[in-house]
Amino acid sequence: YAVVDGVWGQAWAEKLRDELEWLFQNGHMSPNKVLFQTSSGPVKLTKPNIFEADLHDGEIRVLEKLSAYRHLYESDDLVRFFNGQRPELELTGGNSGKTVKLQFNSGGGGCFPWHYDNPSRPNKRRLTVLVYLNPGWKDGDGGELQLLPFLGEKVTISPGMNRTVIFQSDRVLHRVLPAVKKRMCFTIWLDSAAVNSDDEVFLKAKHLTVSAVETLKSTPLQRTLSRAVYQEEYEESLRHCFDESCDGGRACRLALAMHNAHLSALLKNEQVGTFVRQLRALKC
């Protein structure tokens, strides 16, 4: 991952912030929702205090006020830059190969649980470019980004003004801590056809030994075991995200039930269960 301050220049960063705040104040952003597949059918849960807009939405994209974001959506400058620096990323380019999503967190505890931006197929995200637009941020305001390299130390990043965080979407576990004050950011996801190959999605017996730990640390295979290795961390973040005081706690109970169902299915395999216990002993 990389953290870079001042990439966008002060005037451009302020314009991006102004456009995002205008979008929220004028009712063009929608509550963030997550879809869960249950035995009785799909269920959508709303993350409290989180509002978003996606530039794939033509009605958003044509708003005259959004000239800066429209430029980001239509430009392939980032794709050309990263492909030039890291050709192995094989970023796709074009409007169909990128997503630009704007986010307004109104505070009041709004946050995101631990997750990967590319959890598996059919997702094609390769690179996450996250830009924060919060002048005057200080300790206690909340909304920090936490990264958790597999079996490594947590990294906490404050969401200050004109701060950019870049990481690979399919191998960096991360969350957003509860925000006390309003928090604004946008994310650019860049796609690649070179993601989620069989070797990156399917665990084999050879991966279930301590000798494979370094492979898991550096590849998307870690995603398969992440929830089990970090079981308590996932549960805590779900409780923060889906406040138990909202909706009688229904959303929180459902999110935790889906998490536990995933764990039960994974740990039915005795060899996987044994290896997970070894990994849990190795985590920082």
Side-chain angles (χ1 to χ4, degrees):
Y1 70 92
V3 181
V4 189
D5 290 332
V7 167
W8 306 91
Q10 182 176 346
W12 187 251
E14 289 175 355
K15 180 172 177 56
L16 289 164
R17 175 185 166 83
D18 289 346
E19 289 185 9
L20 198 161
E21 190 156 26
W22 176 89
L23 201 67
F24 176 74
Q25 296 295 343
N26 285 273
H28 295 295
M29 303 184 83
S30 302
N32 174 280
K33 295 182 183 294
V34 60
L35 181 68
F36 287 100
Q37 297 293 339
T38 72
S39 57
S40 56
V43 175
K44 277 189 178 181
L45 300 181
T46 299
K47 292 190 179 81
N49 304 302
I50 306 290
F51 301 87
E52 295 181 331
D54 190 327
L55 268 290
H56 281 305
D57 183 340
E59 293 184 3
I60 297 294
R61 196 167 60 249
V62 298
L63 292 170
E64 185 176 354
K65 177 72 173 178
L66 297 190
S67 59
Y69 286 105
R70 192 160 46 249
H71 172 77
L72 291 177
Y73 178 78
E74 294 172 351
S75 170
D76 270 344
D77 288 349
L78 284 177
V79 172
R80 285 189 287 270
F81 172 78
F82 287 118
N83 276 339
Q85 298 295 315
R86 296 280 302 275
E88 69 275 15
L89 293 174
E90 298 182 44
L91 300 175
T92 305
N95 292 348
S96 63
K98 74 168 74 69
T99 299
V100 180
K101 182 169 282 191
L102 287 58
Q103 184 188 106
F104 187 98
N105 185 330
S106 62
C111 59
F112 281 78
W114 290 108
H115 67 283
Y116 294 89
D117 283 348
N118 181 342
S120 191
R121 295 173 178 172
N123 198 300
K124 294 183 178 180
R125 293 172 182 168
R126 178 70 165 192
L127 205 62
T128 296
V129 181
L130 180 55
V131 182
Y132 292 107
L133 302 168
N134 304 295
W137 183 93
K138 61 184 183 302
D139 288 341
D141 288 348
E144 297 95 337
L145 174 70
Q146 282 194 328
L147 310 180
L148 185 50
F150 195 70
L151 304 182
E153 297 274 3
K154 286 179 189 171
V155 178
T156 301
I157 301 167
S158 59
M161 183 65 178
N162 200 4
R163 168 162 288 179
T164 301
V165 185
I166 305 162
F167 54 87
Q168 293 195 63
S169 308
D170 57 0
R171 65 198 72 191
V172 177
L173 183 64
H174 60 287
R175 68 172 294 193
V176 176
L177 294 175
V180 177
K181 302 289 181 65
K182 72 177 182 181
R183 171 187 180 275
M184 286 181 274
C185 67
F186 67 92
T187 306
I188 304 173
W189 286 292
L190 302 176
D191 291 355
S192 170
V195 294
N196 291 328
S197 66
D198 286 353
D199 288 340
E200 294 178 331
V201 172
F202 300 118
L203 280 174
K204 299 180 176 66
K206 67 180 182 180
H207 299 128
L208 301 178
T209 66
V210 174
S211 63
V213 165
E214 293 306 314
T215 297
L216 292 173
K217 285 182 178 181
S218 60
T219 71
L221 280 171
Q222 62 181 258
R223 298 173 298 183
T224 307
L225 300 171
S226 173
R227 280 183 180 267
V229 174
Y230 293 103
Q231 177 179 348
E232 296 81 7
E233 289 87 347
Y234 270 83
E235 291 174 355
E236 178 193 38
S237 69
L238 287 168
R239 288 192 175 94
H240 283 156
C241 181
F242 299 104
D243 190 335
E244 293 181 78
S245 66
C246 295
D247 192 27
R250 175 180 174 273
C252 185
R253 289 193 299 273
L254 181 56
L256 288 170
M258 296 302 295
H259 167 67
N260 288 324
H262 180 98
L263 289 179
S264 296
L266 178 67
L267 297 176
K268 279 182 180 178
N269 183 299
E270 184 176 343
Q271 189 177 2
V272 171
T274 299
F275 186 48
V276 164
R277 288 191 290 275
Q278 293 175 319
L279 292 176
R280 285 170 62 84
L282 292 173
K283 70 181 182 178
C284 293

